Amino acid sequence: MSTPDSAPARAERLGDGTVAVRAGLPEPAKNEPTLPGPVFAAHFHLPGEVEGPYTYGRETNPTWTLLERAIGELEAPGQEGVDTVVFASGMAAVSAVLLSQARAGDTVVLPDDGYQALPLVREQLEAYGVHVRTAPTGGDAQLAVLDGARLLWLETPSNPGLDVCDIRRLVDAAHAGGTLVAVDNTLATPLGQRPLELGADFSVASGTKGLTGHGDLLLGYVVCRNAELAAGIRRWRKVVGAIPGPMEAWLAHRSLSTIQLRCERQWTNALAVAEALSGRADVSGLRYPGLASDPSHKTAAGQMRGFGSVVSFTLADRAHAERFMAATRLVEDATSFGGVRSTAERRGRWGGDAVPEGFIRFSAGAEDTEDLVADVLRALDVAGSTA
Ligand SMILES: *Cc1c(COP(=O)(O)O)cnc(C)c1O
């Protein structure tokens, strides 16, 4: 094959699947593999002066470099100056932004309905003298508490409630007041939503979920609007040492080549499950941003390119939800989401989210659509008939 154009130029005009299968790959070189294997090295040969890209394994690794390039191509195709930093987990990435950007006396605005570990980060921020304000994701409620803040944290769609806020509108208001904006893009994945294109300064995510999609590794990343912001995030990674192992980084890169295929099937399945659930009397509180009837649909449709694999709904009570979970055959009872095998859980069992006892967070996998919908409907019938 001939030498491809530079990655950004390529990404601008090609489809998501085409970009995904080549994202982050080095220029083709004779007798070299397409995707070089993981580089296992704590240190690199370093005679004389300390120079060059690879010196010590807590700071840099060639396997991360390729993965960071790949994620950047998917999150912000064609955008100049964007710089990505990978971490050992989503929480390592989340904490890197919040704890490195906020100083004692600063104010940070968080959603009050975000990921269940965010309240722990809040406690840590407050212990360091950072003021924290919160507001719900729905209705862009964070607009009302932005004044004078150093950083606005958005999570849209929110986990597990699937509320959506208007990223562009919140970014414009935040930037007008000198506030930086970070968006947790875990649920959408870079294929479903590109926060940097909507003006955000950071797009942060857990790569553990739909990004890698096989449920076999933990990973996190921060995509930064420019090198200056990225330098602070890299410095934090060096200080804290929350680095991904080369094997995880390589597996993640390999998984990215199928992200478009996985997302396409999983989003189709999520919508099909949501549509099937919407006709049922035993289901309440159904949420999926891709459903035209969903309260988030209009905002979601204006900024998302796909609506994700997660559907949430509520059954009568805890026992009913447990009977549903026990009756499914194709849906694993497990936490996490975004994987090729459908998973679901009664979210209230963790105690961390403000959800009803019968609340189910359902993640559509890559099964055949008819099989998955039939399994869900059959399990609901079983759960209802044995009450
Ligand atoms: C899972 C998740 C995280 C944390 O990711 P880990 O990889 O588990 O550390 C952060 N934000 C959201 C929205 C998540 O779903």
Side-chain angles (χ1 to χ4, degrees), residues 108-125:
V108 165
V109 178
L110 300 178
D112 62 16
D113 52 357
Y115 183 60
Q116 62 168 358
L118 265 190
L120 301 175
V121 184
R122 175 190 183 156
E123 274 175 36
Q124 201 60 53
L125 286 164

Side-chain angles (χ1 to χ4, degrees), residues 88-92 94 115 155 157 159 184 186-187 205-209 218-220 336-337 361:
S89 68
M91 283 315 297
V94 168
Y115 183 60
E155 184 181 307
N159 172 15
D184 185 324
T186 303
L187 251 118
S206 168
T208 311
K209 317 286 174 54
L218 283 107
L219 190 90
S336 201
F337 58 84
R361 187 183 67 188

Side-chain angles (χ1 to χ4, degrees), residues 17-366:
T18 312
V19 174
V21 296
R22 299 206 181 284
L25 297 182
E27 294 296 314
K30 190 169 185 180
N31 303 131
E32 293 294 329
T34 305
L35 173 62
V39 176
F40 296 105
H43 53 82
F44 300 84
H45 286 298
L46 190 60
E49 297 299 311
V50 177
E51 61 188 8
Y54 303 111
T55 56
Y56 185 62
R58 182 166 27 74
E59 295 193 32
T60 44
N61 176 294
T63 310
W64 305 347
T65 305
L66 297 180
L67 175 62
E68 288 172 341
R69 218 180 273 163
I71 293 171
E73 285 175 29
L74 294 171
E75 279 270 353
Q79 205 168 321
E80 289 297 317
V82 166
D83 198 351
T84 302
V85 188
V86 288
F87 284 88
S89 68
M91 283 315 297
V94 168
S95 300
V97 175
L98 284 163
L99 295 170
S100 74
Q101 292 298 315
R103 307 272 186 278
D106 284 347
T107 296
V108 165
V109 178
L110 300 178
D112 62 16
D113 52 357
Y115 183 60
Q116 62 168 358
L118 265 190
L120 301 175
V121 184
R122 175 190 183 156
E123 274 175 36
Q124 201 60 53
L125 286 164
E126 288 175 337
Y128 292 149
V130 176
H131 306 292
V132 177
R133 298 182 199 140
T134 63
T137 299
D140 302 339
Q142 297 187 64
L143 280 176
V145 294
L146 269 186
D147 198 32
R150 160 91 183 138
L151 180 74
L152 168 64
W153 187 270
L154 306 176
E155 184 181 307
T156 181
S158 61
N159 172 15
L162 302 181
D163 266 323
V164 167
C165 57
D166 185 333
I167 297 175
R168 172 72 71 186
R169 181 177 179 218
L170 285 154
V171 163
D172 287 348
H175 284 176
T179 304
L180 290 170
V181 181
V183 178
D184 185 324
N185 204 31
T186 303
L187 251 118
T189 81
L191 258 64
Q193 177 169 275
R194 295 172 180 160
L196 265 61
E197 281 185 0
L198 299 164
D201 301 288
F202 301 101
S203 179
V204 187
S206 168
T208 311
K209 317 286 174 54
L211 184 86
T212 58
H214 292 70
D216 53 9
L217 61 87
L218 283 107
L219 190 90
Y221 67 83
V222 181
V223 186
C224 309
R225 185 167 46 77
N226 60 39
E228 188 190 338
L229 292 172
I233 301 298
R234 267 180 219 287
R235 181 178 182 281
W236 178 266
R237 182 175 68 181
K238 177 176 171 173
V239 170
V240 173
I243 57 166
M247 191 69 206
E248 281 75 11
W250 183 83
L251 278 171
H253 198 160
R254 191 176 78 150
S255 299
L256 283 185
S257 59
T258 56
I259 188 173
Q260 192 275 337
L261 285 170
R262 289 184 282 109
C263 283
E264 188 171 74
R265 174 68 70 85
Q266 291 179 236
W267 298 347
T268 297
N269 284 355
L271 181 62
V273 166
E275 281 171 346
L277 294 178
S278 70
R280 293 195 59 116
D282 49 355
V283 169
S284 65
L286 174 67
R287 296 298 304 267
Y288 183 64
L291 272 183
S293 58
D294 191 273
S296 290
H297 183 68
K298 191 161 173 279
T299 308
Q303 67 189 14
M304 298 183 78
R305 307 168 71 241
F307 301 108
S309 64
V310 180
V311 177
S312 63
F313 58 97
T314 301
L315 298 174
D317 52 28
R318 173 176 174 164
H320 198 132
E322 285 174 347
R323 288 196 302 275
F324 167 73
M325 288 305 313
T328 61
R329 291 179 186 143
L330 300 180
V331 184
E332 292 175 11
D333 190 342
T335 196
S336 201
F337 58 84
V340 290
R341 286 170 287 275
S342 289
T343 56
E345 69 172 336
R346 192 181 70 79
R347 193 61 183 169
R349 65 183 177 177
W350 292 90
D353 302 303
V355 293
E357 284 292 330
F359 181 98
I360 302 277
R361 187 183 67 188
F362 183 96
S363 172

